[in-house]
Amino acid sequence: MGSKASAPGKAILFGEHAVVYGKPAIALAIDKRATITIKESHRDYTRIKSDDLDLEAILSPETGLKLKKGEMGILNYILKALEFYHDSTPINIKLKISIPIGAGLGSSAAVTVATIAALDNYHKRKSTLPSIARRAHRVELEVQGAASPLDTSISTHGGLIYLDKEKIEQIKGDLKDSLVIGYTRSEETAKMVKLVKERMERHPQIMNLIMDAIAHITRKARKALKSDDKECLGELMNINQGLLDAIGVNSKSLSEMIYTSREAGALGSKITGAGGGGSIIAYSHPDRTGQILESLTARGYNAMKANPSTRGVLIQ
Amino acid sequence: MGSKASAPGKAILFGEHAVVYGKPAIALAIDKRATITIKESHRDYTRIKSDDLDLEAILSPETGLKLKKGEMGILNYILKALEFYHDSTPINIKLKISIPIGAGLGSSAAVTVATIAALDNYHKRKSTLPSIARRAHRVELEVQGAASPLDTSISTHGGLIYLDKEKIEQIKGDLKDSLVIGYTRSEETAKMVKLVKERMERHPQIMNLIMDAIAHITRKARKALKSDDKECLGELMNINQGLLDAIGVNSKSLSEMIYTSREAGALGSKITGAGGGGSIIAYSHPDRTGQILESLTARGYNAMKANPSTRGVLIQ
């Protein structure tokens, strides 16, 4: 008896941070996934293992959790999902993951969604996508204290989505072979959200104008995606980037990645996610992504091509 | 018979580019000056010489201009001032200058103002500051085709000024020993103004919100200067910088200079002037300027401490 499920990571194209202030955002699922495999265990404990993360932990009803290798991080999400959606039967859990961890690319949401879907399947529970998304959000809330439903929703449903006041809508856009992501492992979402909030309190008039400008950008980007106006889309990313710098979530290395991408031919490039570290996303004609990738790695940054993924969570 | 006059360069603290769209700006004269010395000549031609710029030119009524060393650049302003405010008597003109050229620091305005003042004095013409500023602006207009009256006005009057719809007002602020300027020699004002205009035409709603935000920043900065709220002033510079990035006048090296300054302890840092190359200005507590200067020069950038100058044009 076994079960296997996978779910994608995400990248925010427009509107991060502004979404906290009621403005719209655009995000997409990317073709980097977390895959959870569950097998029956003949031992008297549950084992959780990930070669990709160099992680191994043992969970026993008697002795509790024992971390044998690696860091807690992503493990917290698996443990919370087990607590909520599994009984105490010993199982073997394997995690494969190609989403960079802690880079604002939705790794924890993907792991959570995949774990819940694999557990549902293991227990032969009938489930729906909205139910998986809702429960994954609950797990993220429990682990993090606060969490947007955006990450778990995209990871569950896949595709390119437009989020406006918690209404999530699939939209059109051709981003195939057009994206490069540069990343570090130091995104600090909570800290960045707090910094922006404090700047908002000190300078409400200025910050509200900036948030309104971001909202306009996101709405216009939706149209540019629909009409495949690549130049416009790139320019809107660049303007959004300046506004992210203005609200205080840019950093020296993010800025270097952003300008490196543009010099290598990106039509647009910006922070994706909370910033302050984390990741950037560059958008270009398909024939320039190789050059952008090379320029970023030549400067010592982690980078990868990314494709949109229409597939959300999959039972395999 | 001789005459000597000097005039300061300038740095824009807030509102560059936005000023083109009717928003206020704050600028100051800095303690880097252009000094023009005029002496009678016993030859039959006028000689213009600057050791600082490695420049030498000869102007004769018969053979016209002969450039013996260096580039036309700043020479155009001296020649136009001579054409307007000198007869054809041969003279020797020497230019000493400590303002970096072509870096958006008002070198051409300072040279023009100093030349006109030295010529007035040489010809024993009574003159007033407003008259010098007005005529220097006329020279800049003739040479450049378009020019804001800001540079020539600050260079003439000195001090810290607030410009709102061509009304120029001296304001209060303690910036002593608090400024570092990093610069390159590649500011392209006309090109940058054009780029911003084009982005404004493509995205008027977004760009108008950004320009309004810059206007709010400038007005709030005026208050922060008055109350000497250093933290606030620095933060407003940083927000303004993001908005300059958003309107498209930032560059990789400007961004590196800006983040290098902040890491070295600047309370705020931003592009000063038109951007796209050009200069940055960093503002800090006096005990950090040394560290900022060092960090910039360690990365191969030109940098200098700058102090506000209450003295505008001076007849010496």
Side-chain angles (χ1 to χ4, degrees):
Chain A
M1 268 299 299
S3 168
K4 189 174 179 182
S6 73
K10 69 99 192 17
I12 298 181
L13 265 188
F14 292 94
E16 50 274 269
H17 286 289
V19 82
V20 177
Y21 298 90
K23 311 298 179 191
I26 295 174
L28 75 157
I30 55 173
D31 61 347
K32 312 291 163 190
R33 302 181 74 87
T35 306
I36 290 280
T37 310
I38 299 178
K39 286 189 178 155
E40 279 184 295
S41 173
H42 303 297
R43 301 193 184 85
D44 59 354
Y45 53 82
T46 286
R47 194 174 66 169
I48 304 161
K49 202 166 179 293
S50 174
D51 291 340
D52 291 331
L53 301 183
D54 206 19
L55 176 74
E56 189 175 347
I58 277 169
L59 182 66
S60 126
E62 286 92 50
T63 58
L65 181 79
K66 194 171 163 193
L67 186 64
K68 298 183 74 172
K69 264 203 300 192
E71 292 168 15
M72 284 304 293
I74 217 94
L75 190 58
N76 288 312
Y77 298 88
I78 300 175
L79 293 171
K80 191 56 76 181
L82 285 175
E83 184 189 323
F84 285 174
Y85 307 115
H86 182 57
D87 50 35
S88 55
T89 324
I91 47 177
N92 285 319
I93 301 179
K94 264 199 189 169
L95 167 64
K96 284 190 63 165
I97 186 161
S98 60
I99 310 161
I101 306 294
L105 297 170
S107 57
S108 67
V111 168
T112 307
V113 167
T115 305
I116 291 173
L119 284 170
D120 282 355
N121 186 47
Y122 183 81
H123 290 292
K124 300 197 187 345
R125 284 192 292 260
K126 291 242 160 148
S127 181
T128 62
L129 296 183
S131 153
I132 293 175
R134 188 181 36 75
R135 286 180 290 150
H137 182 222
R138 189 183 157 208
V139 167
E140 287 227 307
L141 274 177
E142 284 284 328
V143 174
Q144 297 170 189
S148 145
L150 187 63
D151 287 18
T152 39
S153 179
I154 296 178
S155 187
T156 304
H157 296 281
L160 181 62
I161 72 112
Y162 185 85
L163 171 84
D164 196 1
K165 300 203 174 65
E166 308 211 359
K167 193 181 148 225
I168 288 175
E169 192 184 343
Q170 292 278 344
I171 60 169
K172 281 185 186 166
D174 177 14
L175 296 167
K176 193 162 179 291
D177 298 327
S178 305
L179 302 175
V180 174
I181 289 172
Y183 60 97
T184 64
R185 292 184 177 232
S186 54
E187 198 201 45
E188 294 172 279
T189 306
K191 186 179 160 197
M192 288 300 120
V193 169
K194 184 162 171 278
L195 280 179
V196 174
K197 185 165 170 276
E198 289 164 356
R199 185 163 283 188
M200 177 64 91
E201 285 162 3
R202 285 192 297 272
H203 307 288
Q205 278 189 308
I206 297 161
M207 290 289 278
N208 278 321
L209 285 166
I210 295 173
M211 293 301 176
D212 285 347
I214 296 178
H216 273 290
I217 288 169
T218 304
R219 287 188 212 110
K220 198 164 185 179
R222 179 188 181 155
K223 289 181 199 159
L225 278 163
K226 197 174 179 188
S227 61
D228 201 28
D229 186 343
K230 294 183 196 298
E231 298 287 334
C232 180
L233 197 67
E235 186 171 24
L236 290 169
M237 286 173 73
N238 291 346
I239 303 175
N240 195 160
Q241 167 56 26
L243 302 181
L244 287 167
D245 184 273
I247 67 173
V249 301
N250 199 6
S251 75
K252 192 174 183 179
S253 33
L254 290 172
S255 179
E256 192 183 26
M257 284 198 268
I258 282 155
Y259 276 98
T260 298
S261 309
R262 292 186 198 169
E263 284 180 2
L267 294 166
S269 59
K270 61 182 277 296
I271 290 165
T272 180
S279 303
I280 66 115
I281 189 161
Y283 167 69
S284 73
H285 291 293
D287 61 352
R288 303 308 297 264
T289 53
Q291 181 59 43
I292 294 168
L293 188 70
E294 267 175 41
S295 298
L296 287 169
T297 51
R299 284 177 185 273
Y301 292 110
N302 301 308
M304 59 188 186
K305 292 189 189 186
N307 256 308
S309 172
T310 52
R311 303 179 310 170
V313 64
L314 289 177
I315 310 288
Q316 282 160 314
Chain B
M1 268 297 301
S3 169
K4 190 174 178 182
S6 74
K10 68 100 190 19
I12 298 182
L13 266 187
F14 292 94
E16 49 274 272
H17 286 290
V19 80
V20 177
Y21 298 90
K23 311 298 179 193
I26 295 174
L28 74 156
I30 55 173
D31 61 346
K32 313 290 164 190
R33 302 179 74 87
T35 306
I36 290 280
T37 309
I38 300 177
K39 286 189 177 156
E40 278 184 295
S41 172
H42 303 297
R43 301 193 186 86
D44 58 355
Y45 53 80
T46 285
R47 195 174 66 170
I48 305 162
K49 203 166 179 292
S50 174
D51 291 339
D52 291 331
L53 303 183
D54 205 20
L55 175 74
E56 189 175 347
I58 277 168
L59 182 66
S60 123
E62 286 92 48
T63 58
L65 182 79
K66 195 174 162 190
L67 186 64
K68 298 183 76 173
K69 264 203 301 191
E71 292 168 13
M72 285 302 294
I74 217 94
L75 190 58
N76 288 311
Y77 299 86
I78 300 175
L79 293 171
K80 191 57 76 180
L82 285 175
E83 185 191 323
F84 285 174
Y85 307 114
H86 182 57
D87 51 35
S88 54
T89 323
I91 48 177
N92 286 319
I93 300 180
K94 265 200 188 167
L95 166 65
K96 285 190 65 167
I97 186 160
S98 60
I99 311 160
I101 305 295
L105 297 170
S107 56
S108 68
V111 168
T112 307
V113 167
T115 306
I116 291 174
L119 284 171
D120 281 355
N121 187 47
Y122 184 82
H123 290 293
K124 300 195 185 346
R125 285 192 292 260
K126 292 242 158 151
S127 183
T128 62
L129 295 184
S131 153
I132 293 174
R134 188 179 39 76
R135 287 180 289 150
H137 181 223
R138 189 182 156 208
V139 167
E140 287 227 307
L141 274 178
E142 284 283 327
V143 174
Q144 297 170 189
S148 143
L150 186 64
D151 287 18
T152 39
S153 180
I154 296 177
S155 187
T156 305
H157 296 280
L160 179 63
I161 73 110
Y162 184 84
L163 172 83
D164 196 1
K165 301 205 174 66
E166 310 213 354
K167 193 183 149 223
I168 288 174
E169 192 183 344
Q170 293 279 344
I171 60 170
K172 280 185 188 168
D174 177 13
L175 297 166
K176 193 163 179 291
D177 298 327
S178 306
L179 302 174
V180 174
I181 289 173
Y183 61 97
T184 63
R185 293 186 178 230
S186 56
E187 197 200 48
E188 295 172 278
T189 306
K191 187 180 159 196
M192 289 299 120
V193 170
K194 186 164 169 279
L195 279 179
V196 174
K197 187 166 169 275
E198 289 164 357
R199 185 163 282 187
M200 178 62 92
E201 285 161 4
R202 285 191 297 272
H203 308 288
Q205 276 188 310
I206 298 160
M207 290 288 279
N208 278 321
L209 285 166
I210 295 173
M211 293 300 175
D212 284 347
I214 297 178
H216 274 290
I217 289 169
T218 305
R219 285 187 214 110
K220 198 162 184 180
R222 179 188 180 155
K223 288 180 201 158
L225 277 163
K226 198 173 177 185
S227 61
D228 201 28
D229 186 343
K230 293 183 196 300
E231 299 286 336
C232 180
L233 197 66
E235 185 171 25
L236 291 169
M237 285 174 74
N238 291 346
I239 304 175
N240 196 159
Q241 167 56 24
L243 302 181
L244 287 167
D245 184 274
I247 65 172
V249 301
N250 199 5
S251 74
K252 193 174 183 179
S253 35
L254 290 173
S255 179
E256 191 182 25
M257 284 198 270
I258 283 156
Y259 276 98
T260 298
S261 309
R262 292 186 198 168
E263 284 179 3
L267 294 167
S269 58
K270 60 181 279 293
I271 291 165
T272 179
S279 303
I280 67 116
I281 189 160
Y283 167 70
S284 74
H285 291 293
D287 61 351
R288 303 308 296 264
T289 54
Q291 181 58 42
I292 294 168
L293 188 70
E294 267 175 41
S295 298
L296 287 169
T297 51
R299 286 178 184 270
Y301 291 110
N302 302 307
M304 60 189 187
K305 292 189 188 186
N307 256 308
S309 172
T310 51
R311 302 178 311 169
V313 64
L314 290 177
I315 308 288
Q316 285 159 312

PDB file of all heavy atoms in Angstrom, chain A residues 171-184:
ATOM      1  N   ILE A 171      -6.277  33.327 -15.176  1.00  0.00           N
ATOM      2  CA  ILE A 171      -6.238  34.268 -16.305  1.00  0.00           C
ATOM      3  C   ILE A 171      -5.344  33.711 -17.411  1.00  0.00           C
ATOM      4  O   ILE A 171      -4.662  32.703 -17.233  1.00  0.00           O
ATOM      5  CB  ILE A 171      -5.755  35.674 -15.890  1.00  0.00           C
ATOM      6  CG1 ILE A 171      -4.335  35.610 -15.294  1.00  0.00           C
ATOM      7  CG2 ILE A 171      -6.733  36.314 -14.911  1.00  0.00           C
ATOM      8  CD1 ILE A 171      -3.696  36.974 -15.113  1.00  0.00           C
ATOM      9  N   LYS A 172      -5.379  34.410 -18.562  1.00  0.00           N
ATOM     10  CA  LYS A 172      -4.605  33.964 -19.718  1.00  0.00           C
ATOM     11  C   LYS A 172      -3.259  34.666 -19.798  1.00  0.00           C
ATOM     12  O   LYS A 172      -3.133  35.823 -19.404  1.00  0.00           O
ATOM     13  CB  LYS A 172      -5.400  34.254 -20.994  1.00  0.00           C
ATOM     14  CG  LYS A 172      -6.476  33.216 -21.211  1.00  0.00           C
ATOM     15  CD  LYS A 172      -7.169  33.436 -22.543  1.00  0.00           C
ATOM     16  CE  LYS A 172      -8.336  32.447 -22.641  1.00  0.00           C
ATOM     17  NZ  LYS A 172      -9.255  32.793 -23.724  1.00  0.00           N
ATOM     18  N   GLY A 173      -2.276  33.979 -20.359  1.00  0.00           N
ATOM     19  CA  GLY A 173      -0.977  34.590 -20.553  1.00  0.00           C
ATOM     20  C   GLY A 173       0.014  33.550 -21.034  1.00  0.00           C
ATOM     21  O   GLY A 173       0.000  32.415 -20.557  1.00  0.00           O
ATOM     22  N   ASP A 174       0.835  33.934 -21.985  1.00  0.00           N
ATOM     23  CA  ASP A 174       1.831  32.996 -22.505  1.00  0.00           C
ATOM     24  C   ASP A 174       3.199  33.334 -21.924  1.00  0.00           C
ATOM     25  O   ASP A 174       3.857  34.273 -22.361  1.00  0.00           O
ATOM     26  CB  ASP A 174       1.866  33.073 -24.039  1.00  0.00           C
ATOM     27  CG  ASP A 174       2.944  32.155 -24.601  1.00  0.00           C
ATOM     28  OD1 ASP A 174       3.456  31.293 -23.845  1.00  0.00           O
ATOM     29  OD2 ASP A 174       3.280  32.303 -25.794  1.00  0.00           O
ATOM     30  N   LEU A 175       3.621  32.570 -20.938  1.00  0.00           N
ATOM     31  CA  LEU A 175       4.917  32.829 -20.301  1.00  0.00           C
ATOM     32  C   LEU A 175       5.889  31.675 -20.550  1.00  0.00           C
ATOM     33  O   LEU A 175       6.920  31.569 -19.897  1.00  0.00           O
ATOM     34  CB  LEU A 175       4.716  33.035 -18.798  1.00  0.00           C
ATOM     35  CG  LEU A 175       3.884  34.266 -18.420  1.00  0.00           C
ATOM     36  CD1 LEU A 175       3.461  34.220 -16.969  1.00  0.00           C
ATOM     37  CD2 LEU A 175       4.686  35.549 -18.698  1.00  0.00           C
ATOM     38  N   LYS A 176       5.563  30.853 -21.540  1.00  0.00           N
ATOM     39  CA  LYS A 176       6.353  29.658 -21.810  1.00  0.00           C
ATOM     40  C   LYS A 176       7.797  30.041 -22.203  1.00  0.00           C
ATOM     41  O   LYS A 176       8.014  30.926 -23.027  1.00  0.00           O
ATOM     42  CB  LYS A 176       5.692  28.870 -22.943  1.00  0.00           C
ATOM     43  CG  LYS A 176       6.223  27.475 -23.129  1.00  0.00           C
ATOM     44  CD  LYS A 176       5.256  26.620 -23.948  1.00  0.00           C
ATOM     45  CE  LYS A 176       5.839  25.227 -24.139  1.00  0.00           C
ATOM     46  NZ  LYS A 176       7.012  25.209 -25.021  1.00  0.00           N
ATOM     47  N   ASP A 177       8.741  29.361 -21.607  1.00  0.00           N
ATOM     48  CA  ASP A 177      10.169  29.548 -21.915  1.00  0.00           C
ATOM     49  C   ASP A 177      10.617  31.005 -21.805  1.00  0.00           C
ATOM     50  O   ASP A 177      11.527  31.434 -22.520  1.00  0.00           O
ATOM     51  CB  ASP A 177      10.484  29.033 -23.329  1.00  0.00           C
ATOM     52  CG  ASP A 177      10.202  27.539 -23.459  1.00  0.00           C
ATOM     53  OD1 ASP A 177      10.384  26.817 -22.458  1.00  0.00           O
ATOM     54  OD2 ASP A 177       9.797  27.099 -24.549  1.00  0.00           O
ATOM     55  N   SER A 178       9.970  31.774 -20.960  1.00  0.00           N
ATOM     56  CA  SER A 178      10.247  33.214 -20.883  1.00  0.00           C
ATOM     57  C   SER A 178      10.728  33.671 -19.519  1.00  0.00           C
ATOM     58  O   SER A 178      10.990  34.848 -19.320  1.00  0.00           O
ATOM     59  CB  SER A 178       8.969  34.004 -21.213  1.00  0.00           C
ATOM     60  OG  SER A 178       8.442  33.612 -22.457  1.00  0.00           O
ATOM     61  N   LEU A 179      10.834  32.754 -18.566  1.00  0.00           N
ATOM     62  CA  LEU A 179      11.132  33.161 -17.192  1.00  0.00           C
ATOM     63  C   LEU A 179      12.441  32.580 -16.667  1.00  0.00           C
ATOM     64  O   LEU A 179      12.757  31.411 -16.897  1.00  0.00           O
ATOM     65  CB  LEU A 179       9.991  32.738 -16.258  1.00  0.00           C
ATOM     66  CG  LEU A 179       8.592  33.278 -16.581  1.00  0.00           C
ATOM     67  CD1 LEU A 179       7.565  32.661 -15.643  1.00  0.00           C
ATOM     68  CD2 LEU A 179       8.562  34.796 -16.499  1.00  0.00           C
ATOM     69  N   VAL A 180      13.181  33.408 -15.977  1.00  0.00           N
ATOM     70  CA  VAL A 180      14.363  32.946 -15.235  1.00  0.00           C
ATOM     71  C   VAL A 180      14.196  33.432 -13.795  1.00  0.00           C
ATOM     72  O   VAL A 180      13.779  34.577 -13.570  1.00  0.00           O
ATOM     73  CB  VAL A 180      15.669  33.503 -15.837  1.00  0.00           C
ATOM     74  CG1 VAL A 180      16.872  33.133 -14.967  1.00  0.00           C
ATOM     75  CG2 VAL A 180      15.871  32.992 -17.257  1.00  0.00           C
ATOM     76  N   ILE A 181      14.499  32.556 -12.871  1.00  0.00           N
ATOM     77  CA  ILE A 181      14.425  32.938 -11.462  1.00  0.00           C
ATOM     78  C   ILE A 181      15.820  32.889 -10.858  1.00  0.00           C
ATOM     79  O   ILE A 181      16.541  31.907 -11.030  1.00  0.00           O
ATOM     80  CB  ILE A 181      13.454  32.001 -10.699  1.00  0.00           C
ATOM     81  CG1 ILE A 181      12.008  32.303 -11.125  1.00  0.00           C
ATOM     82  CG2 ILE A 181      13.605  32.163  -9.183  1.00  0.00           C
ATOM     83  CD1 ILE A 181      10.976  31.327 -10.604  1.00  0.00           C
ATOM     84  N   GLY A 182      16.206  33.978 -10.223  1.00  0.00           N
ATOM     85  CA  GLY A 182      17.465  33.999  -9.468  1.00  0.00           C
ATOM     86  C   GLY A 182      17.106  33.984  -7.995  1.00  0.00           C
ATOM     87  O   GLY A 182      16.151  34.654  -7.606  1.00  0.00           O
ATOM     88  N   TYR A 183      17.824  33.251  -7.191  1.00  0.00           N
ATOM     89  CA  TYR A 183      17.376  33.149  -5.796  1.00  0.00           C
ATOM     90  C   TYR A 183      18.513  33.015  -4.794  1.00  0.00           C
ATOM     91  O   TYR A 183      19.604  32.551  -5.104  1.00  0.00           O
ATOM     92  CB  TYR A 183      16.406  31.981  -5.622  1.00  0.00           C
ATOM     93  CG  TYR A 183      16.991  30.629  -5.982  1.00  0.00           C
ATOM     94  CD1 TYR A 183      17.507  29.785  -5.000  1.00  0.00           C
ATOM     95  CD2 TYR A 183      17.009  30.196  -7.307  1.00  0.00           C
ATOM     96  CE1 TYR A 183      18.038  28.550  -5.330  1.00  0.00           C
ATOM     97  CE2 TYR A 183      17.542  28.963  -7.642  1.00  0.00           C
ATOM     98  CZ  TYR A 183      18.059  28.140  -6.650  1.00  0.00           C
ATOM     99  OH  TYR A 183      18.585  26.933  -6.985  1.00  0.00           O
ATOM    100  N   THR A 184      18.216  33.450  -3.586  1.00  0.00           N
ATOM    101  CA  THR A 184      19.080  33.227  -2.440  1.00  0.00           C
ATOM    102  C   THR A 184      18.227  32.433  -1.460  1.00  0.00           C
ATOM    103  O   THR A 184      17.093  32.106  -1.753  1.00  0.00           O
ATOM    104  CB  THR A 184      19.504  34.566  -1.806  1.00  0.00           C
ATOM    105  OG1 THR A 184      18.330  35.193  -1.306  1.00  0.00           O
ATOM    106  CG2 THR A 184      20.148  35.472  -2.825  1.00  0.00           C
TER     107      THR A 184
END
